[in-house]
Amino acid sequence: MKQALSQLSIQTRGEGFTDITAAIHEEIKSSGLSTGLATLHVKHTSCSLTINENADPRVLLDLAAYLRALVPQAGVRPISGQGPLRPYVHDDEGADDMPAHIRTALTCTSLSLSVQGGRLVLGTWQAVYLWEHRARSHRRRLSLHLIGA
Amino acid sequence: MKQALSQLSIQTRGEGFTDITAAIHEEIKSSGLSTGLATLHVKHTSCSLTINENADPRVLLDLAAYLRALVPQAGVRPISGQGPLRPYVHDDEGADDMPAHIRTALTCTSLSLSVQGGRLVLGTWQAVYLWEHRARSHRRRLSLHLIGA
Amino acid sequence: MKQALSQLSIQTRGEGFTDITAAIHEEIKSSGLSTGLATLHVKHTSCSLTINENADPRVLLDLAAYLRALVPQAGVRPISGQGPLRPYVHDDEGADDMPAHIRTALTCTSLSLSVQGGRLVLGTWQAVYLWEHRARSHRRRLSLHLIGA
């Protein structure tokens, strides 16, 4: 058993999904690891990781539209569900920053998957996505930890 | 230190929770592992994993009712919180499919737990549940990765 | 490669966040581990783990306000988004208990991070928080599993 740590650097294109499955597979290949555990962690607090469908791109459109409505940019919905949104108190980094922190908290910043035959063990319709929650494109750094043989 | 990979196949009974703690314990027993790390991953995008209370079944009823209302089958709630829901664009696989993808994104598809004495390290009131988000029963495959001694 | 299991005991101060990054670093130091994988799990079903911004404390204020409104103490919002909330059926342990279970399900009970140089690999603005969802302070137990060298 050995371990290998590496860093991925992913350029996002503003709010939405970047499929990073192939980038992870390249890192696994470089490590020479065949069977093991891969743990991925995103080193930011305004983007996250999600595993979802890789087939119909409209799934991702609906996911993005849903999260945009669930965590409105204008502020917190009143508990009653009615009346005006209450603006966020943290607003120094732009109107899209605080909703991005909340969307991150509602999804995942780290995830672990098995590796077999040098590849992630995923279902047929699964891909690993980096989910950018900020409006503009960003360069995002992820740490990848591999343990195995 | 050694590792063991196995697959669990769980039959769900439509939307709701299946306690899979005992099934995981059987796999750990088969592996012969006593102390280590167990990583579970569900190979689907319309069901998820959650750890919650194993005592009063009404906790699970409330959880299911809550998520059903948070992610309505009819579509995305407007940002204002008022007015009609906007239907999902991905609707080819039935009306319960897109909400299932979203419910999966808001919960977890993988989780890691310690193993001690051949059993998961859980709190007294915790169980591991497979949370089916589709209306009908499905056979679900999960990968279980064990590392330890 | 070796492994080390330990338990953290954290006193919360009622609903809100406790930065546990330093407490985890102390455990890593005690273990003598330099490079490896740290897996943290909270042994309760009414508090959770989250990684978020460690700089402006108003981020945490907004996060708490958001989750309080998303999961109201009074019950489940109707699917239409309008009309009275439907009270939870699980109410034996106080009005703040069932919303705490739901807030736990929407966030994380376990997370894995790399360890390098005896410290968690985190982004500059990241801290690991224990997120108490109950109204009153509690003593919370977490298991920490370390694998590495």
Side-chain angles (χ1 to χ4, degrees):
Chain A
M1 299 265 283
K2 63 171 187 171
Q3 51 183 343
L5 278 82
S6 60
Q7 189 165 287
L8 277 75
S9 175
I10 307 283
Q11 182 72 37
T12 65
R13 294 151 302 175
E15 198 194 331
F17 300 87
T18 305
D19 186 338
I20 57 171
T21 317
I24 301 168
H25 283 157
E26 273 184 50
E27 289 299 325
I28 297 173
K29 203 178 169 185
S30 301
S31 77
L33 210 106
S34 168
T35 306
L37 184 70
T39 302
L40 197 63
H41 171 68
V42 66
K43 295 167 85 173
H44 305 271
T45 60
S46 53
C47 63
S48 57
L49 296 169
T50 198
I51 293 177
N52 220 299
E53 183 174 315
N54 60 6
D56 181 356
R58 292 176 301 169
V59 169
L60 301 181
L61 291 178
D62 279 331
L63 258 180
Y66 176 86
L67 201 61
R68 229 167 5 237
L70 186 69
V71 188
Q73 189 165 304
V76 178
R77 208 184 299 288
I79 290 180
S80 72
Q82 281 153 63
L85 304 180
R86 202 190 62 205
Y88 299 113
V89 293
H90 172 80
D91 58 5
D92 326 11
E93 296 167 69
D96 65 323
D97 184 58
M98 192 56 226
H101 289 303
I102 298 172
R103 291 167 193 176
T104 298
L106 292 178
T107 51
C108 291
T109 51
S110 77
L111 59 86
S112 292
L113 290 167
S114 284
V115 174
Q116 242 180 327
R119 294 174 69 83
L120 297 172
V121 174
L122 288 168
T124 312
W125 311 109
Q126 288 185 317
V128 183
Y129 294 99
L130 174 60
W131 196 345
E132 176 63 70
H133 300 303
R134 298 296 307 263
R136 271 181 285 220
S137 66
H138 282 79
R139 179 152 295 275
R140 300 303 200 171
R141 288 161 301 124
L142 293 87
S143 80
L144 177 66
H145 194 116
L146 298 165
I147 294 185
Chain B
M1 299 265 284
K2 62 172 188 172
Q3 53 183 342
L5 279 80
S6 61
Q7 189 165 286
L8 276 75
S9 175
I10 307 283
Q11 182 72 39
T12 66
R13 294 151 301 174
E15 198 195 332
F17 300 87
T18 304
D19 186 337
I20 58 171
T21 317
I24 301 167
H25 283 157
E26 273 184 50
E27 289 299 325
I28 296 173
K29 203 178 169 184
S30 300
S31 77
L33 211 105
S34 168
T35 305
L37 184 70
T39 301
L40 197 62
H41 171 67
V42 66
K43 295 167 85 173
H44 306 270
T45 59
S46 53
C47 62
S48 57
L49 296 169
T50 198
I51 292 177
N52 221 299
E53 182 173 316
N54 60 8
D56 181 355
R58 291 176 301 169
V59 168
L60 302 181
L61 290 178
D62 279 330
L63 258 180
Y66 176 85
L67 201 62
R68 234 174 352 245
L70 185 70
V71 188
Q73 188 163 304
V76 177
R77 209 183 300 288
I79 290 179
S80 72
Q82 281 153 65
L85 304 180
R86 201 189 64 204
Y88 299 113
V89 293
H90 172 79
D91 57 6
D92 324 12
E93 296 168 69
D96 66 321
D97 184 58
M98 193 56 226
H101 290 303
I102 296 171
R103 291 167 193 177
T104 297
L106 293 178
T107 51
C108 292
T109 52
S110 78
L111 59 86
S112 293
L113 290 167
S114 284
V115 174
Q116 243 181 326
R119 296 175 68 82
L120 297 172
V121 174
L122 288 167
T124 313
W125 311 109
Q126 289 185 316
V128 183
Y129 293 99
L130 175 59
W131 197 343
E132 176 62 71
H133 300 303
R134 298 296 307 263
R136 270 181 286 218
S137 65
H138 282 79
R139 179 152 293 276
R140 300 302 201 172
R141 287 162 301 123
L142 293 87
S143 81
L144 177 66
H145 194 116
L146 298 165
I147 293 186
Chain C
M1 298 266 283
K2 62 171 187 172
Q3 52 183 342
L5 279 81
S6 61
Q7 188 165 288
L8 277 75
S9 176
I10 307 283
Q11 182 72 37
T12 66
R13 294 151 302 175
E15 199 195 333
F17 299 87
T18 304
D19 186 337
I20 58 172
T21 316
I24 301 168
H25 284 157
E26 272 184 51
E27 289 299 324
I28 296 172
K29 202 176 171 187
S30 300
S31 77
L33 210 106
S34 167
T35 306
L37 184 70
T39 302
L40 198 62
H41 171 68
V42 65
K43 296 167 84 172
H44 306 271
T45 60
S46 53
C47 62
S48 56
L49 297 169
T50 198
I51 292 176
N52 221 298
E53 182 173 316
N54 60 6
D56 180 357
R58 291 176 301 169
V59 169
L60 301 180
L61 290 178
D62 279 331
L63 258 179
Y66 177 85
L67 201 62
R68 234 176 349 245
L70 186 69
V71 188
Q73 189 164 304
V76 178
R77 209 182 301 287
I79 290 179
S80 72
Q82 282 152 63
L85 304 181
R86 202 189 62 203
Y88 299 114
V89 294
H90 172 79
D91 56 6
D92 325 13
E93 295 168 69
D96 65 322
D97 184 57
M98 193 55 227
H101 289 304
I102 297 172
R103 292 168 192 176
T104 298
L106 293 178
T107 50
C108 291
T109 52
S110 77
L111 59 85
S112 293
L113 290 166
S114 284
V115 174
Q116 244 181 324
R119 295 175 68 84
L120 297 172
V121 175
L122 287 168
T124 312
W125 310 110
Q126 289 185 316
V128 183
Y129 293 100
L130 175 60
W131 196 346
E132 176 64 69
H133 301 302
R134 298 297 307 264
R136 269 182 286 219
S137 66
H138 282 80
R139 179 152 293 277
R140 301 302 201 171
R141 288 162 302 123
L142 293 87
S143 80
L144 176 67
H145 194 117
L146 298 165
I147 293 185

